[in-house]
Amino acid sequence: MAKKSTLKIKPMDDRVVIKRLDAEEKTTGGIILPGAAQEKQLKAEVVAVGEGKLLDNGNRATPDVEVGDIVIVSKYGGTDIKVDDVEYTILRESDILAKSC
Amino acid sequence: MAKKSTLKIKPMDDRVVIKRLDAEEKTTGGIILPGAAQEKQLKAEVVAVGEGKLLDNGNRATPDVEVGDIVIVSKYGGTDIKVDDVEYTILRESDILAKSC
Amino acid sequence: MAKKSTLKIKPMDDRVVIKRLDAEEKTTGGIILPGAAQEKQLKAEVVAVGEGKLLDNGNRATPDVEVGDIVIVSKYGGTDIKVDDVEYTILRESDILAKSC
Amino acid sequence: MAKKSTLKIKPMDDRVVIKRLDAEEKTTGGIILPGAAQEKQLKAEVVAVGEGKLLDNGNRATPDVEVGDIVIVSKYGGTDIKVDDVEYTILRESDILAKSC
Amino acid sequence: MAKKSTLKIKPMDDRVVIKRLDAEEKTTGGIILPGAAQEKQLKAEVVAVGEGKLLDNGNRATPDVEVGDIVIVSKYGGTDIKVDDVEYTILRESDILAKSC
Amino acid sequence: MAKKSTLKIKPMDDRVVIKRLDAEEKTTGGIILPGAAQEKQLKAEVVAVGEGKLLDNGNRATPDVEVGDIVIVSKYGGTDIKVDDVEYTILRESDILAKSC
Amino acid sequence: MAKKSTLKIKPMDDRVVIKRLDAEEKTTGGIILPGAAQEKQLKAEVVAVGEGKLLDNGNRATPDVEVGDIVIVSKYGGTDIKVDDVEYTILRESDILAKSC
């Protein structure tokens, strides 16, 4: 069962909102990204998910991530926003490299 | 129920007309974008919505925003227009990053 | 009911022929675009409409503007032509930003 | 009823063969393009029409011009050819801006 | 009825193999391309035709030229090959401008 | 029967996670890539496979590699990540040149 | 009946593995490519064929070459690999210009 987002914004289309995790922190998925590797990609938690990509036939594809997923993203992707003094990043689902499982 | 636009122009296709909100103002959605963050994206209110994107099969996709929605957009997207001395911006729905909910 | 074009040329595909309106004139739609704003977009009247965009399945999409519509277009779009000593512009429907309603 | 081409070549796909008309001549469609305007677009008569654009499903779209149509084209589009000492231009139907009607 | 190719190679997809004709020679189609015009396009005879363009649905489009057709091509298109000491050019059907008829 | 991944991350879409193999090692597939050739492509073992490429109709294509496959990839493709101190590369299935069989 | 590949690698998607033939050798198809022509394209033998191009509907197109086919390819296409000390080239089927028949 997917968790419900507590964030007051909903990303459009196939966008998701993520919150970057402390790079030294060890997640339940056991992913650690120390040193130089940190400069290439980052762990983050998905906090809001859009309706999904608009297909050629007018339907939307089902997003492949859920609120609460821990994901690996490229450091330089997406747009940073600030909601209630907390920093988030909005990016497209296709910019997510992998999720922990 | 979607509010009805009071604006006398209707954007074409998947375009929407937005009115930028005062960056210091706090909306009902609780979104605040102060300081440096303001230089990257902006809050705005949707004041008119087009018919929706033309699909390959000749139909149009249903727009995912309504008149009255508060949205986050990139500062440099869209074209500025002036109607009855008020400034608006016309941009494509795909340029909207997120909406408050 | 759409007005009939009195122009002796018919634009191809999703093109429309427009006649630029005097920038100071106030239309029934109440759109005024004075000063600096004039350098970014312009009001125009639609005087002829093509058959509509050719779709992947061989049909044509129904144009979303009609002869007589007042539209807002970017100043630098389209190709200028002269018919019976009057100047017109031919552009694609997708280059029209909005129409008055 | 479309006239039959007397030209001994048939353009491929959505191409058409046109013969440029004398710029000072006044056509039955009443189009005149004198002076500076001549440097941007030109009148021409369609002398041969291809089978039509190949669609994704393998069919061909029906061409929207016929032999004998007077059309407006951009001056710099297409490829010039010479058949029996007469100069023609081969271009794609989508490069035709408008036809007289 | 299409002639059968005597060439020992078969072009792939929507490619055709052509043999350029002597520019001064007059074909049965009556096409002459002398002087400066020769620098822009050339007559050629089709000597082999591929299976046709692969469509999105996995079928192939029927080629619109046959072995023996006289075609007009751009001088700089295609790749030159040599089979049994004779020079040919392989190019895509979409690079053929017109065929004689 | 495909082996099950023991990796705690799952790549998104048509991405796969690979572990580069020691270039001197000889695999069961007998592939050796010594010397200069090593600078162009590399052997790797597939350790995790995504859901497959999102198609236009909203379905996903079945991946053509499985966990445990030995593949040849270009040296410079993909993004390097580190999980539990081991280095992996995430890349798209279309960037895999071949698999041993 | 297609020959079976003895190569221990299978190319992905619409890729094929070819072995370049000695440029002076005369094949059963009678293709000779001596001198300057050798600098533009080369003969090669197909030694392995992939599953075929992934179509928009999720199926794969049937490859148009088989193991054992003699093909003409551009000299600079594809990626060179070495298997059991023999040099091969992996390239996409669409990069093959023609096959002997």
Side-chain angles (χ1 to χ4, degrees), chain A residues 19-31:
Chain A
K19 187 172 179 306
R20 305 211 156 168
L21 300 177
D22 175 18
E24 274 69 49
E25 182 189 330
K26 194 172 163 65
T27 70
T28 56
I31 306 171

Side-chain angles (χ1 to χ4, degrees), chain F residues 8-20:
Chain F
K8 292 166 190 164
I9 66 170
K10 182 171 184 61
M12 297 286 288
D13 298 316
D14 60 336
R15 290 185 183 89
V16 297
V17 181
I18 59 174
K19 187 172 178 307
R20 305 211 156 168

Side-chain angles (χ1 to χ4, degrees), chain B residues 9-93:
Chain B
I9 66 170
K10 182 172 184 61
M12 298 286 288
D13 298 316
D14 60 337
R15 291 185 182 86
V16 298
V17 180
I18 60 173
K19 188 173 178 308
R20 305 210 156 170
L21 300 177
D22 175 18
E24 274 69 47
E25 182 189 330
K26 192 170 163 65
T27 71
T28 56
I31 306 171
I32 305 178
L33 305 164
Q38 285 179 20
E39 285 159 45
K40 289 188 186 155
Q41 77 290 331
L42 288 170
K43 276 183 309 173
E45 183 179 351
V46 174
V47 293
V49 178
E51 290 293 316
K53 187 186 175 183
L54 182 62
L55 302 173
D56 278 358
N57 58 15
N59 295 332
R60 290 188 180 276
T62 306
D64 197 24
V65 290
E66 296 179 347
V67 171
D69 279 353
I70 304 301
V71 294
I72 299 177
V73 298
S74 169
K75 193 177 182 176
Y76 299 107
T79 304
D80 295 330
I81 61 165
K82 212 172 193 173
V83 180
D84 292 338
D85 261 348
V86 183
E87 287 207 348
Y88 298 95
T89 300
I90 298 183
L91 75 172
R92 293 187 181 274
E93 189 188 309

